[in-house]
Amino acid sequence: MGGGLVNSIFMSALTAGLIALSHGPVLAKSGDAEKGEGIYQKRCLQCHGEEGDGLGPAAERLNPPPRDFTLGLYKIQSSAFDADLPNDEDLFRMISDGMPGTAMPGWSDLLSEQDIWDVIATVKAFAELEGEPERQVDYGTQVKSSPESIAAGKKLFLADDQCSECHGVEGKGDAIKKLKNDNGERTWPRNLTKPWTFRASNDPKDIFTRITVGIPTTQMPSFADPKSKKKLSIEERWHVANYVASLAKTEKTVRSDNTVIQAARIEGELPASPDDPVWDSAPPSTFFMVPQIVGKERFFKAANDTISVRSLYTDKMIALHLEWDDRTKSIPGDDKARTIADEELTEDAIAVQFPMKISAGMEKPYFLMGDAAKPVNLWRWSSGTTQMPESVSILDAMGINDQQARDGDGGLSAKGAYKDGTWRVVLTRSRKTETTDKDLQFEEGRFIPIAFFAWDGSNSEAGSRHAMSTWYWLLLKPSTGAKPMIVAIVVALLIGGILVWWGRSATARREGMTP
Ligand code: HEC
Ligand code: HEC
């Protein structure tokens, strides 16, 4: 049941980033609003509403909400910033490819090109829009990306806080103030290091277009408006676009083929501080997280969608370094945090999930906090309040509604640090504990199931409202000295396997001979 659903959500999260770029040549352009009506009723109404007002039955749960077509305003526009409407090609592209990071799906698989032109006519009719805009974006001469152009772009990005005012100095979208769109709905500036959340794409030409036009209906301004204080020349806009495009190239990119966190063995003490440079020696593994929509109280609007994990261990101890982008440092009691938070402000939190025991058949517990047959441990860290420091606890769970917090910290220690839109937290525990019936014991060379949960306290995330990952693996890579041992085990397993096979086929041969 839930597993299949969640898998398909993970798959769409994985592909969401890839579909945005595929827009080929577009031909016929004569849309028929009457023909489009049927398509609209069948495919669009549930979100955009019978009257095109964005109030369809599914709208309530969606963030951002579906567009209200009666206003005739659109986000993705390649006509000039002061044009009244986008080009029909812009609408075609958004309907055909969808809008990544939102519920707006791409329709190119279900609708023909003519269907899409027809439904564009229907959509435009809701606001009585006709014709096409005359003034277009002036691209001048594109400045190719180069280290010099990227450096120039970075300067402009930070100068007078032009972009960093909303997008943060690292581009993580860690807003310094509460932003609302023209409808009064809460909006968040984009995390520019995550191109899979861009409505259009992070191709420099697309970014140039957004900087030039702005994103109508939101606070993302136009930098080509001569009347605005925020103004950049065409050449400057190309530099900024090249810089923004470069932000996506980080070592913390999700690679779907990477499902194993490789923990390296080191001598001496494990680094307790998340900013210790020793952590740079451990390669990060980055995974997608999705909103928790399986448990009883479903939640669709999780703020965080990836987590990067590193791990190191010693003879006795194991440490996990968790890093995730969070636009807000949520510290209840803090006045500034209060002004940016969505509704009620709670602590930010993260939890790592392990099975209590690894079963002989390697079956993993139910991913959403286990069940009675296969309970899990949750190592949970919370960011603290102005009255209370950060804290950590171990929970024993047999399902989302059955979590027991242990007294004290259960031998777990933690240290967190927040900077420029990113939390970094180190969790440390002994590899072995006395309560072997309740705690996972961390052995070398073993594939250990591991999963993650995250709560953004400024986005009303608490209890079962959170983001989560599916199961991945943690592997304590044996140090070189231990390799012969592993090889010996593998050889023993192989020989064992051959013996079993030989034994079975011998039995089969004997049975075959019996009349
Ligand atoms: C599952 C819900 C859902 C369905 C179904 C859906 N949309 Fe959307 N649509 C959205 C959301 C949400 C947005 C707003 C995204 C944003 O603001 O970033 C949107 C935005 C749009 C936009 C605005 C593009 C822009 O540049 O601002 C257009 C046009 C659009 N949808 C057309 C359609 C058409 C046509 C259909 C049917 C073929 C359709 N949508 C079906 C959810 C949906
Ligand atoms: C006043 C706040 C503000 C400023 C200043 C600002 N932005 Fe934005 N930006 C936003 C918001 C809000 C969004 C998200 C809009 C939405 O909801 O779709 C956004 C979205 C974007 C996107 C995403 C485009 C896409 O396809 O989804 C890019 C790229 C971007 N901004 C770049 C910039 C750059 C570069 C600058 C400086 C030259 C800048 N922004 C200045 C608020 C701002």
Side-chain angles (χ1 to χ4, degrees):
M1 44 142 285
L5 173 64
V6 164
N7 277 342
S8 65
I9 293 168
F10 276 103
M11 282 319 294
S12 35
L14 290 177
T15 46
L18 302 176
I19 52 179
L21 293 167
S22 56
H23 49 108
V26 166
L27 305 165
K29 260 182 72 173
S30 48
D32 179 334
E34 253 166 67
K35 282 202 194 126
E37 188 58 36
I39 301 165
Y40 184 88
Q41 303 267 343
K42 189 162 170 212
R43 308 284 186 194
C44 322
L45 179 147
Q46 68 265 36
C47 291
H48 292 285
E50 178 114 45
E51 313 289 329
D53 52 8
L55 297 175
E60 199 188 335
R61 295 189 302 219
L62 304 179
N63 180 27
R67 185 76 69 259
D68 175 352
F69 295 138
T70 63
L71 301 174
L73 292 167
Y74 298 95
K75 283 190 176 176
I76 300 306
Q77 180 174 321
S78 63
S79 49
F81 76 92
D82 54 354
D84 296 337
L85 68 169
N87 293 308
D88 283 355
E89 272 84 3
D90 297 328
L91 295 174
F92 188 98
R93 178 178 173 195
M94 289 303 111
I95 296 168
S96 172
D97 297 350
M99 299 176 81
T102 82
M104 171 66 192
W107 295 97
S108 55
D109 287 346
L110 282 170
L111 301 179
S112 70
E113 285 198 3
Q114 190 56 52
D115 287 345
I116 295 178
W117 290 122
D118 291 344
V119 82
I120 287 173
T122 312
V123 162
K124 283 175 79 172
F126 283 120
E128 292 168 15
L129 297 177
E130 269 172 33
E132 284 213 71
E134 275 173 22
R135 289 187 304 286
Q136 300 292 326
V137 166
D138 179 1
Y139 291 94
T141 310
Q142 175 164 1
V143 179
K144 286 256 143 47
S145 184
S146 66
E148 296 73 34
S149 170
I150 290 172
K154 181 174 186 175
K155 258 202 194 132
L156 292 161
F157 188 93
L158 298 169
D160 297 330
D161 242 4
Q162 275 192 121
C163 309
S164 45
E165 174 195 3
C166 294
H167 292 284
V169 294
E170 300 281 342
K172 302 277 177 81
D174 41 322
I176 50 158
K177 57 183 180 188
K178 204 166 184 166
L179 297 180
K180 293 201 165 140
N181 69 10
D182 296 353
N183 273 348
E185 289 142 355
R186 185 69 199 268
T187 52
W188 295 95
R190 204 78 74 240
N191 180 336
L192 301 175
T193 68
K194 294 184 167 180
W196 62 88
T197 64
F198 283 26
R199 304 298 179 259
S201 84
N202 85 324
D203 183 82
K205 188 168 175 196
D206 258 325
I207 300 170
F208 179 97
T209 313
R210 300 292 86 71
I211 305 171
T212 304
V213 182
I215 301 187
T217 75
T218 79
Q219 296 215 331
M220 169 72 194
S222 158
F223 287 81
D225 181 351
K227 283 195 250 90
S228 160
K229 271 196 301 194
K230 293 186 178 293
K231 242 179 327 216
L232 294 169
S233 70
I234 289 180
E235 189 190 327
E236 287 173 327
R237 275 178 262 147
W238 280 116
H239 292 318
V240 176
N242 288 334
Y243 171 63
V244 171
S246 79
L247 291 173
K249 298 191 184 79
T250 82
E251 57 170 349
K252 289 181 287 159
T253 302
V254 178
R255 296 200 340 260
S256 53
D257 60 326
N258 178 16
T259 55
V260 183
I261 303 154
Q262 310 255 359
R265 189 180 174 122
I266 60 168
E267 296 304 320
E269 294 278 299
L270 288 174
S273 159
D275 298 321
D276 194 311
V278 173
W279 284 113
D280 296 337
S281 67
S285 297
T286 302
F287 307 121
F288 276 119
M289 294 190 289
V290 297
Q292 189 288 103
I293 58 162
V294 193
K296 211 168 56 194
E297 193 203 345
R298 304 205 290 170
F299 179 60
F300 292 89
K301 303 177 176 180
N304 303 323
D305 66 354
T306 57
I307 182 161
S308 296
V309 190
R310 305 169 198 257
S311 180
L312 293 169
Y313 72 99
T314 62
D315 196 19
K316 296 251 154 52
M317 308 292 288
I318 174 137
L320 294 166
H321 181 280
L322 311 168
E323 181 170 347
W324 71 102
D325 289 356
D326 181 336
R327 297 187 182 100
T328 47
K329 182 182 185 186
S330 313
I331 304 289
D334 183 277
D335 285 343
K336 193 175 151 237
R338 174 61 271 168
T339 61
I340 293 174
D342 194 18
E343 287 156 31
E344 199 188 329
L345 177 63
T346 53
E347 292 170 74
D348 286 332
I350 198 91
V352 184
Q353 171 174 279
F354 295 110
M356 265 188 202
K357 277 202 165 64
I358 300 180
S359 70
M362 295 294 279
E363 299 121 12
K364 291 169 272 192
Y366 185 50
F367 64 95
L368 185 56
M369 304 187 182
D371 57 24
K374 292 196 197 68
V376 298
N377 290 147
L378 294 169
W379 295 5
R380 194 176 196 280
W381 169 90
S382 307
S383 60
T385 68
T386 46
Q387 310 293 319
M388 217 173 51
E390 61 183 336
S391 65
V392 75
S393 59
I394 293 188
L395 295 104
D396 301 318
M398 296 192 285
I400 191 161
N401 296 317
D402 186 352
Q403 304 171 30
Q404 302 287 330
R406 293 201 204 152
D407 290 336
D409 58 21
L412 189 64
S413 61
K415 182 90 203 94
Y418 183 87
K419 192 166 181 282
D420 297 332
T422 301
W423 273 113
R424 294 183 182 80
V425 173
V426 172
L427 295 171
T428 311
R429 204 202 77 178
S430 335
R431 285 172 50 199
K432 297 201 163 53
T433 64
E434 310 224 306
T435 40
T436 49
D437 56 326
K438 285 173 90 181
D439 286 318
L440 184 74
Q441 310 293 305
F442 289 84
E443 290 168 36
E444 283 184 326
R446 196 153 192 195
F447 282 89
I448 299 167
I450 185 170
F452 305 92
F453 299 84
W455 290 261
D456 179 351
S458 299
N459 188 43
S460 314
E461 296 180 28
S464 64
R465 301 158 67 86
H466 56 72
M468 58 191 285
S469 78
T470 184
W471 286 110
Y472 291 98
W473 302 102
L474 172 67
L475 175 67
L476 278 61
K477 267 194 320 188
S479 52
T480 18
K483 241 183 204 149
M485 164 96 163
I486 278 276
V487 171
I489 293 171
V490 170
V491 169
L493 283 173
L494 273 177
I495 292 176
I498 290 165
L499 285 178
V500 168
W501 172 80
W502 184 77
R504 279 211 193 115
S505 45
T507 315
R509 277 196 303 275
R510 267 200 311 278
E511 279 167 358
M513 269 157 34
T514 337

